[in-house]
Amino acid sequence: MNAGSKTKGHFGPVTAVWTGVIIASAGFALFLYAQKPALAEASAALYGFSFGMFLAGALAVWLIAQRRARTAIEDRLSFLQTLVDTIPNPIFYNDVNGIYLGCNAAFETCVGLPKGEIKGKTVHDIFPLELADVHRKSDLGLHNAAGAQQYEASVRYADGSRHDILLSKTTFFDLSANVAGIVGVMLDITERTKAEKILENSEARLRQIINLVPHWIFVRDRDGNYLLANKALAESCQTTVSGLIGKSPADFYLNVQESQRILQDDREVMASGESGFIPEEPFTDSKGNLHLLQTTKVPFHTSDENIRAVLGVSIDITERKRSYAEAKLLASAVEQADENILITDNRRTIIYINPAFELSSGYRNEELKGEKLNFLRSAKHDEIFYSDMKETLDEGRVWIGIIFNKCKDGRDFEIEGTISPIRDAFGSITHYLAVGRNMSRFRKLERELYQAQKMESIGRLAGGVAHDFNNMLSVITGQTELALQEIDFARAAYKRLHEVLKAAHRSADLVRQLLAFARKQTINPRVLDINETVESMLQMLRRLIGEDIELLWEPGMNLWPVKMDPTQIDQILANMCVNARDALAGVGRVTISTGNIELDESYCLDHDGVCPGQYVVLRVSDTGTGMDSQTLVRIFEPFFTTKEVGTGTGLGLATVYGIIEQNQGFIDVQSAPGRGTTFNIYLPRTVQGAWPMIDSGPKKDLKGRETVLLVEDEEPLLDLGTAILQMNGYDVLAAKRPTEALEMVQNYPGPIQLLITDVVMPEMNGKEVGKRLAEMKPGLKTIFMSGYTADVIANHGILDESINFLQKPFSVQTMLEKVRAVLDG
């Protein structure tokens, strides 16, 4: 711009003067021609000179204009070059033959040559052959296509540094719109390439890491399609990672409901924007195997902070659950094992005892935890015993033997068992396991088994003779009672027969006691209130213990009902009060009380044979002489007595024990010499309501006019029953066999109101007889009678609350009362 202005200022006046001279000469020539034609030649010469001068001036002006234009172009090119040189990216341009026409300073730095040396050279003159071929091939492609192109290349600069470049090329055209060459710009992307490689390596490492994770890792979009998944998930779906991408759980889950529920969970997490935790998520794989997954899901945010997907991690806890179940089973087995189990660490510090060991030692697990093993040492062993045990364990061997340990209450308990070392995977001892049987308890069980065997033997003996004996006693008592009715009270024979009757009653009581002790007594259980039952007996009990002994009655409030035969309560109280009377030696106090009690597990652990639950406790205590420990362990043995010979049978408490056992209860005794005795009888609560006690009121007339069919295979009993009924006004049809009874009823024209039948008979049992006769005589009432034990009668389906039963032996009064009650009922 400055150069152009200077040129204009220098040549402007010259041009003006020159133009003026030319115009003046031309004007003077015309003047001469007009004045003197003779001067026309001179005038033409002068005009020619002027025209020549004009041409010369015009040429000079044109040359000056050209110079000015060239200078302006050069200035613009210089300015453009300066601008291009300021661009940090290398720029070059070459012609269609690949000859460099120019470049910028950055390109000079790149190739290490000045512009002057670069111009006129080709790409092969500057770059290595392999790279030059690539560039030239690219140029030729652009020449033909006349467009633009980008590609990446690695270039070593003149300073020896290697750069990754993005080369952008475009064609330029001449005035004829033909491709004149190519302009190229090199963008240094070395740092970007490094960053991309770092990112690529990071992604590869991350992919490798998540593929090494054994749990499922995934990203799912809103449609449930997998955007990311790891190898563990792919293998569970029987496919590859790439095979998962773009697909949803529905493509791999056999159970449609499972896949739908999973996608619903995804949507809830994305909608709430909060993480979700599913503790147990079922998954059925392609083989039909059920897995349990523990899944955590979090919303996955995109770069614009929108939630477009869910990121989740699922842990297959199937094996964990199975292992936990197995561990729980093992723990349960240890907890419930009857063997005593104790575990210590490798320093023999106790860390666990099972309930069986708690029961044996009296200690709770928490009390022994942290104590050394020698805390349980007993004085029964000397130091040599414990030294040998220690040596065995120190050498890693199993100790086997019998050891006495000290209980919490100071007693010793005997254990036969082993102590074994527990080793880890490296063979180091980490714990010791002691397992053994409580021989003290075992010996107690041996004694109890012996006692049970004795009881069973007596029971079999009693059961074996009960039927025949009861039948004979029925005849003796019945015929004696009938004979007494026919003899004058003042006669000596009456007194003799009365003694026979008392002996028969005592014999019957003895049989009942034996059967009660053996738990084979025939009973008719009913729901009752113990308080009402006891109150009904108080007058009789006071007569039983005598006037010198005070009887106190302390009934509990809101007593729960129990279910048992009320006559058994009578037996229990009678036996207990008789024992209390004998222990008081004439003067003292007997207290009967009742109450509700609920026994828990801890109580049952300390009392063998006791089950937790709700009980009604019947307590009988006295202020008598009490008993020592040796007597206490034998009081329930049959025929064991501390009374003088001839004053006791030894069956009283054994009978009580049998009755309580028969009713699923238990008895606890507390006694000491000089401190009296307390018997606590626990009877299980029943959920049924108690039957009200019925006051018999004044005696009813037991005679009748009804027709009774009596079926009994024992002829003496048949004759006795017939006589009792006929003497009291009844019409009797007597049959010795069931078939005879059926024929008799079939041929009897009149009504029959009552059937009395034995239970166990030849041909058919009493229940079958009753069923068939009831079909022949609808409305026929039935009484079953038997001298057999309860188990035999039960096998014939007779022992039921709704069935009328008469136990042999029975008195005349008992039979008549039963007959009248059934007929009137």
Side-chain angles (χ1 to χ4, degrees):
M1 294 288 292
N2 292 335
S5 299
K6 183 179 179 181
T7 304
K8 179 180 180 181
H10 180 73
F11 289 104
V14 175
T15 303
V17 171
W18 190 258
T19 302
V21 172
I22 294 172
I23 292 172
S25 299
F28 183 68
L30 289 175
F31 174 74
L32 290 177
Y33 180 78
Q35 294 293 325
K36 293 182 179 181
L39 295 177
E41 185 176 348
S43 176
L46 183 59
Y47 187 81
F49 172 77
S50 298
F51 183 73
M53 290 296 290
F54 173 76
L55 289 177
L59 178 62
V61 171
W62 180 80
L63 290 174
I64 292 170
Q66 285 294 101
R67 183 176 178 185
R68 287 180 60 199
R70 185 165 55 251
T71 302
I73 291 172
E74 288 176 354
D75 288 344
R76 290 191 181 92
L77 288 175
S78 176
F79 176 70
L80 291 175
Q81 186 66 51
T82 302
L83 288 177
V84 172
D85 284 340
T86 61
I87 297 174
N89 299 322
I91 300 174
F92 63 88
Y93 51 97
N94 51 29
D95 62 16
V96 294
N97 297 315
I99 298 173
Y100 285 103
L101 302 177
C103 65
N104 68 346
F107 191 80
E108 287 181 311
T109 304
C110 173
V111 300
L113 295 173
K115 296 184 185 70
E117 295 186 22
I118 293 174
K119 288 181 180 179
K121 294 185 181 294
T122 67
V123 68
H124 285 88
D125 298 327
I126 296 177
F127 293 102
L129 178 62
E130 185 177 350
L131 183 59
D133 287 341
V134 172
H135 290 333
R136 185 56 185 162
K137 184 178 180 180
S138 169
D139 292 348
L140 294 175
L142 278 174
H143 293 159
N144 297 328
Q149 189 181 70
Q150 278 188 341
Y151 61 90
E152 295 180 7
S154 180
V155 178
R156 186 180 295 280
Y157 280 19
D159 61 2
S161 61
R162 181 168 291 278
H163 296 255
D164 294 318
I165 63 168
L166 176 64
L167 187 53
S168 300
K169 295 180 179 179
T170 185
T171 53
F172 65 89
F173 303 89
D174 58 16
L175 296 177
S176 302
N178 295 320
V179 175
I182 290 174
V183 177
V185 180
M186 297 165 59
L187 177 63
D188 193 331
I189 60 171
T190 304
E191 292 304 320
R192 192 188 79 181
T193 304
K194 288 181 180 177
E196 288 176 348
K197 287 183 178 179
I198 292 172
L199 180 60
E200 184 180 342
N201 291 337
S202 177
E203 289 178 349
R205 281 195 299 271
L206 179 61
R207 193 175 297 108
Q208 185 179 24
I209 290 170
I210 67 172
N211 282 332
L212 289 174
V213 174
H215 312 310
W216 299 4
I217 300 176
F218 58 86
V219 175
R220 286 193 292 259
D221 63 16
R222 290 186 178 275
D223 298 323
N225 296 321
Y226 287 102
L227 304 178
L228 179 144
N230 69 336
K231 186 178 179 181
L233 175 56
E235 289 177 348
S236 297
C237 295
Q238 303 294 311
T239 185
T240 61
V241 172
S242 59
L244 272 175
I245 305 305
K247 295 183 179 179
S248 74
D251 297 317
F252 302 99
Y253 281 45
L254 288 183
N255 191 307
V256 177
Q257 287 77 16
E258 289 177 4
S259 61
Q260 290 176 345
R261 188 193 61 254
I262 286 171
L263 297 181
Q264 179 61 33
D265 291 339
D266 287 358
R267 285 189 284 270
E268 289 177 2
V269 169
M270 286 186 277
S272 66
E274 298 178 354
S275 61
F277 176 72
I278 305 168
E280 288 188 10
E281 184 179 56
F283 160 65
T284 306
D285 63 22
S286 57
K287 294 182 179 179
N289 300 318
L290 178 64
H291 299 260
L292 286 177
L293 307 175
Q294 193 175 85
T295 302
T296 302
K297 297 178 181 179
V298 296
F300 191 77
H301 295 265
T302 58
S303 57
D304 56 2
E305 292 302 316
N306 290 324
I307 300 173
R308 303 284 179 82
V310 63
L311 168 64
V313 177
S314 294
I315 302 173
D316 192 331
I317 60 171
T318 310
E319 287 302 320
R320 184 197 303 175
K321 290 282 289 185
R322 187 178 293 113
S323 299
Y324 175 76
E326 291 173 354
K328 190 174 180 182
L329 176 62
L330 179 60
S332 247
V334 171
E335 286 283 307
Q336 298 176 34
D338 192 54
E339 301 296 299
N340 287 247
I341 298 175
L342 178 146
I343 302 174
T344 74
D345 61 16
N346 56 4
R347 296 182 180 180
R348 289 164 207 153
T349 300
I350 299 172
I351 61 175
Y352 171 79
I353 61 171
N354 73 334
F357 199 97
E358 288 181 333
L359 184 62
S360 297
S361 67
Y363 288 104
R364 299 291 181 189
N365 183 44
E366 294 75 16
E367 294 176 301
L368 283 184
K369 191 181 293 184
E371 297 288 350
K372 292 293 184 180
L373 196 57
N374 58 15
F375 179 79
L376 297 169
R377 275 193 179 192
S378 166
K380 286 187 176 288
H381 299 298
D382 55 19
E383 284 298 324
I384 296 177
F385 175 86
Y386 289 111
S387 177
D388 291 343
M389 175 190 286
K390 182 178 182 301
E391 181 181 349
T392 300
L393 297 177
D394 288 343
E395 293 174 356
R397 294 184 287 120
V398 178
W399 181 88
I400 304 174
I402 295 176
I403 184 172
F404 285 90
N405 292 317
K406 188 168 290 296
C407 293
K408 186 177 182 179
D409 60 7
R411 294 180 296 107
D412 290 321
F413 66 100
E414 181 184 1
I415 294 286
E416 180 183 24
T418 62
I419 304 177
S420 307
I422 301 176
R423 304 177 187 273
D424 60 17
F426 304 100
S428 301
I429 296 175
T430 59
H431 297 82
Y432 290 95
L433 172 66
V435 180
R437 172 181 293 181
N438 185 341
M439 299 304 292
S440 304
R441 189 179 174 200
F442 179 70
R443 305 213 190 289
K444 180 182 177 183
L445 290 174
E446 275 186 330
R447 291 193 298 270
E448 290 177 351
L449 176 61
Y450 175 67
Q451 175 74 3
Q453 288 173 337
K454 285 199 300 183
M455 291 172 63
E456 183 63 26
S457 297
I458 295 171
R460 282 198 298 268
L461 173 63
V465 302
H467 174 256
D468 294 334
F469 201 56
N470 282 333
N471 281 344
M472 289 186 290
L473 284 174
S474 294
V475 175
I476 293 171
T477 56
Q479 293 292 0
T480 303
E481 286 183 355
L482 293 178
L484 285 171
Q485 292 177 12
E486 298 174 356
I487 298 177
D488 186 13
F489 176 77
R491 295 182 59 181
Y494 184 92
K495 293 182 179 179
R496 294 190 185 96
L497 287 174
H498 188 66
E499 289 299 321
V500 171
L501 184 61
K502 288 198 298 183
H505 286 162
R506 284 196 297 271
S507 299
D509 288 340
L510 183 61
V511 173
R512 272 196 299 273
Q513 284 184 314
L514 283 170
L515 292 175
F517 159 74
R519 298 185 293 281
K520 293 189 176 183
Q521 184 181 19
T522 304
I523 59 175
N524 185 19
R526 53 182 283 185
V527 180
L528 52 87
D529 184 331
I530 292 290
N531 283 346
E532 293 182 357
T533 306
V534 174
E535 285 172 358
S536 68
M537 288 189 64
L538 289 177
Q539 188 174 356
M540 185 272 290
L541 293 174
R542 286 191 174 97
R543 288 197 304 267
L544 186 64
I545 62 177
E547 295 180 355
D548 294 334
I549 297 174
E550 182 184 8
L551 178 62
L552 296 181
W553 165 230
E554 299 175 351
M557 300 296 292
N558 301 315
L559 206 65
W560 294 326
V562 299
K563 186 175 183 180
M564 64 184 298
D565 192 326
T567 61
Q568 291 185 305
I569 298 291
D570 298 349
Q571 285 181 277
I572 290 173
L573 288 175
N575 280 295
M576 303 292 288
C577 287
V578 167
N579 273 305
R581 179 197 66 190
D582 295 341
L584 289 170
V587 179
R589 183 175 62 252
V590 175
T591 303
I592 302 174
S593 61
T594 58
N596 297 328
I597 189 169
E598 188 162 358
L599 304 179
D600 57 15
E601 291 282 356
S602 60
Y603 181 89
C604 298
L605 285 174
D606 297 328
H607 296 78
D608 292 338
V610 180
C611 298
Q614 295 178 325
Y615 293 84
V616 172
V617 59
L618 173 62
R619 185 175 292 107
V620 180
S621 60
D622 64 61
T623 57
T625 56
M627 294 177 282
D628 58 25
S629 58
Q630 293 179 342
T631 304
L632 277 174
V633 298
R634 300 190 62 193
I635 57 173
F636 297 118
E637 290 183 12
F639 308 117
F640 173 77
T641 180
T642 58
K643 300 174 185 178
E644 295 180 2
V645 177
T647 59
T649 62
L651 285 173
L653 291 180
T655 299
V656 171
Y657 184 87
I659 291 173
I660 295 169
E661 287 280 303
Q662 190 174 20
N663 289 278
Q664 290 80 50
F666 67 95
I667 186 169
D668 174 51
V669 186
Q670 299 169 359
S671 184
R675 296 185 179 180
T677 302
T678 297
F679 287 88
N680 296 304
I681 299 167
Y682 297 88
L683 300 171
R685 175 188 183 182
T686 182
V687 296
Q688 302 176 21
W691 292 5
M693 294 289 290
I694 299 175
D695 185 5
S696 59
K699 289 187 177 180
K700 296 180 180 179
D701 184 7
L702 301 179
K703 295 182 180 295
R705 296 182 177 277
E706 292 88 349
T707 301
V708 179
L709 172 61
L710 179 61
V711 185
E712 169 61 64
D713 62 324
E714 293 285 344
E715 191 169 350
L717 279 174
L718 183 64
D719 293 341
L720 174 64
T722 301
I724 292 172
L725 292 169
Q726 287 176 343
M727 288 176 65
N728 286 276
Y730 295 98
D731 292 329
V732 180
L733 302 176
K736 189 176 181 180
R737 297 187 312 278
T739 53
E740 183 183 349
L742 294 174
E743 292 174 2
M744 191 177 290
V745 170
Q746 190 173 7
N747 297 324
Y748 186 76
I752 300 175
Q753 285 79 23
L754 178 65
L755 165 68
I756 302 176
T757 178
D758 195 11
V759 174
V760 182
M761 296 181 293
E763 299 180 347
M764 68 182 74
N765 62 45
K767 188 173 184 180
E768 182 65 23
V769 172
K771 180 180 178 182
R772 294 180 64 174
L773 290 178
E775 293 173 353
M776 299 167 65
K777 295 287 184 178
L780 178 68
K781 296 181 179 180
T782 304
I783 296 175
F784 296 98
M785 59 182 181
S786 180
Y788 276 104
T789 56
D791 53 346
V792 175
I793 299 172
N795 288 336
H796 289 81
I798 299 302
L799 289 184
D800 187 89
E801 292 178 2
S802 62
I803 291 178
N804 300 305
F805 182 73
L806 186 61
Q807 174 69 50
K808 300 176 184 177
F810 48 80
S811 65
V812 173
Q813 181 79 9
T814 301
M815 182 180 184
L816 292 174
E817 286 177 350
K818 190 72 173 181
V819 169
R820 196 69 260 160
V822 171
L823 287 172
D824 294 341

